[in-house]
Amino acid sequence: MTKIVLATLGSHGDIYPFIALGKALQGRGFDVVVATSGHYRPMFENAGLDFAAIGPDEAELVRRLNVSPREFVRNVLSDDFFVVRLAQDLLAENVRDLMPVVAGADLVVGHHIAYAAQLAAELHDIPHVHVLLAPSLLMSPDDPPLITSERLGPAPFARAPGPVGRVWNRILVAAFRTAFRPMTKRARRARAELGLPPSRAIPFLDAGGARAVLGLYSPLLTQGPSGAIAVGATFHDGGAAALDPRIEAFLQDGPAPVVLTLGSFAALGGAEVLRHGVAAARALGRRALVIAGRDDARFIRAPKGPDLLVWGYAPHSAVFSRAAVILHHGGAGTGVQALRAGRPQLIAPFFVDQPDNAARIARLGVARVLPKAQFTPERATEELRALLEQPDYALRAQQVAEQVRGEDGARVAADVIENLLQPK
């Protein structure tokens, strides 16, 4: 049986697409093994997928770093390059863990941050496929990413560029790549220490000789030639089970609420956004349902009342379509679930790809963006009011949802992978 190893790292938004892809490949008769942090073992095994743990799990990682989970999240959210440095800290360990998993495989499919999977594949002389979960890393001159910093603001890319604008964008992309390359010095050194030949590809950014690059996101988020690799969104979120009766009762007990969530990760560093979002909903006479991930009411500190329910987790697919507005952080997985739900969105991006995801969703005419640094109750109230009272947002959200619901990125990606494995 043909063996495929899927490797990913990150939060739920980095995990769910690989569950969807793994199930699609397994359904075609492939022997699929997923390798990631042991923290996620139950998710994959509950989906019927074979699992291999790589590197430290979440508890071990925070122990090694000598920080609390909340401090770890603050470090990640305050430093866009923290994850790249951490991935290099763990690179040798992850390669060691992956070597026996990859042995005998016919193909390795890896998330861009799982550079260890690419190295293990090369060491075994096995082809690999590079997966992107958001379009920002393409750095396309035709559809450039929104790269921003609190000190300098957004990078001055030309939007909807003509010929001159594309030349300017290529110059900026080259400058960003040049600036990023030194940050991957340890990964490139590790490559040499493993006896692999030098490569001009930049770790964590480039595909590095991959047989294919697959964008597991909606092509609606891209413009121009960069959309060619977008195979479509995936929607796995564990939503097959019935909602908890208390959430169901809250949803049925009044008008559609504002649903607020910062995903499985950012909630630990975004209690203030959730608190201000609840205040804004109340200022407009709206109920609020907060899906707080690992956060809870103690950290949100919103005054209790019958118009508010704070809950740890509920599948986005089960609650978003019942919202008046969805307030979220712009994570790739959350964003596509909000698009599929067909409801207006208020996006408060935090870091890395989230500002770019937010900008791409907003240009579809379905959302407004209010960055975390500007997220006050007053500003949030203004933005929510516009989304609720201007009918174009709801109309456009329904139109976009019809297109997104027709996507099946896992199936299309499986088509590509199956074709790659056909005898030539």
Side-chain angles (χ1 to χ4, degrees):
M1 184 181 293
T2 301
K3 177 182 176 182
I4 301 174
V5 175
L6 308 183
T8 184
L9 292 170
S11 62
H12 287 189
D14 305 287
I15 299 301
Y16 285 147
F18 281 82
I19 295 178
L21 178 57
K23 289 173 68 67
L25 291 168
Q26 189 182 67
R28 299 180 185 214
F30 294 115
D31 177 16
V32 178
V33 181
V34 185
T36 188
S37 166
H39 174 73
Y40 296 112
R41 178 184 294 275
M43 288 187 183
F44 288 97
E45 292 186 343
N46 288 342
L49 295 167
D50 289 340
F51 182 86
I54 58 172
D57 64 14
E58 183 179 87
E60 171 62 15
L61 182 59
V62 298
R63 188 195 66 78
R64 289 187 194 180
L65 296 173
N66 195 29
V67 296
S68 70
R70 293 179 67 79
E71 288 170 330
F72 175 72
V73 170
R74 290 192 195 101
N75 289 338
V76 174
L77 296 179
S78 63
D79 181 353
D80 286 352
F81 301 107
F82 181 88
V83 172
V84 171
R85 291 197 298 274
L86 180 61
Q88 291 177 96
D89 291 341
L90 302 174
L91 189 57
E93 181 178 354
N94 287 349
V95 172
R96 182 199 68 207
D97 291 347
L98 276 164
M99 288 298 286
V101 180
V102 169
D106 297 277
L107 186 70
V108 174
V109 181
H111 186 308
H112 77 90
I113 203 66
Y115 184 58
Q118 178 182 324
L119 296 180
E122 289 190 59
L123 287 166
H124 280 293
D125 196 25
I126 296 169
H128 70 277
V129 168
H130 192 67
V131 172
L132 300 176
L133 299 182
S136 57
L137 285 178
L138 288 175
M139 302 286 282
S140 167
D142 297 282
D143 188 17
L146 176 62
I147 300 174
T148 187
S149 71
E150 290 187 13
R151 185 169 63 89
L152 300 175
F157 283 108
R159 303 294 165 183
V164 174
R166 282 192 290 272
V167 171
W168 170 248
N169 287 347
R170 289 190 186 98
I171 293 170
L172 282 182
V173 167
F176 278 109
R177 289 176 58 83
T178 299
F180 183 72
R181 187 177 182 85
M183 300 179 191
T184 65
K185 181 178 180 179
R186 286 184 294 146
R188 290 181 283 114
R189 185 191 306 133
R191 179 184 180 86
E193 290 171 350
L194 290 167
L196 292 170
S199 172
R200 295 179 61 86
I202 300 176
F204 312 109
L205 186 61
D206 294 338
R211 292 281 301 278
V213 180
L214 300 177
L216 284 178
Y217 49 79
S218 173
L220 293 176
L221 299 179
T222 63
Q223 295 177 345
S226 63
I229 73 161
V231 297
T234 62
F235 303 110
H236 179 90
D237 70 347
L243 282 175
D244 185 280
R246 285 162 288 187
I247 299 178
E248 184 63 47
F250 181 81
L251 289 169
Q252 292 186 16
D253 196 35
V258 175
V259 173
L260 305 89
T261 182
L262 300 179
S264 64
F265 186 79
L268 283 171
E272 188 174 70
V273 168
L274 295 174
R275 182 165 60 253
H276 293 343
V278 170
R282 283 173 158 164
L284 296 172
R286 295 282 177 162
R287 304 188 310 145
L289 169 61
V290 179
I291 306 301
R294 292 171 292 184
D295 208 338
D296 61 29
R298 290 185 298 113
F299 299 115
I300 297 171
R301 298 196 307 275
K304 296 180 180 179
D307 62 342
L308 171 64
L309 177 64
V310 179
W311 204 257
Y313 174 75
H316 295 164
S317 58
V319 298
F320 277 5
S321 62
R322 301 168 73 176
V325 171
I326 304 160
L327 190 161
H328 65 91
H329 59 303
T334 305
V336 77
Q337 288 285 1
L339 287 173
R340 184 171 71 155
R343 306 308 303 147
Q345 305 172 43
L346 176 58
I347 309 178
F350 281 59
F351 76 128
V352 189
D353 63 331
Q354 293 170 8
D356 183 65
N357 296 337
R360 292 172 187 272
I361 293 171
R363 77 183 180 191
L364 294 174
V366 304
R368 296 172 74 93
V369 179
L370 183 59
K372 179 188 176 187
Q374 303 169 26
F375 204 98
T376 64
E378 295 76 20
R379 288 289 306 278
T381 301
E382 293 174 11
E383 299 298 325
L384 280 179
R385 179 180 286 111
L387 291 164
L388 290 163
E389 295 182 359
Q390 296 178 23
D392 286 353
Y393 286 107
L395 177 61
R396 181 61 181 152
Q398 287 293 331
Q399 293 169 343
V400 169
E402 290 182 13
Q403 299 176 69
V404 172
R405 288 168 191 158
E407 297 179 16
D408 188 347
R411 178 187 61 78
V412 178
D415 287 344
V416 174
I417 290 168
E418 188 171 31
N419 185 60
L420 286 174
L421 292 169
Q422 294 295 326
K424 302 300 181 185

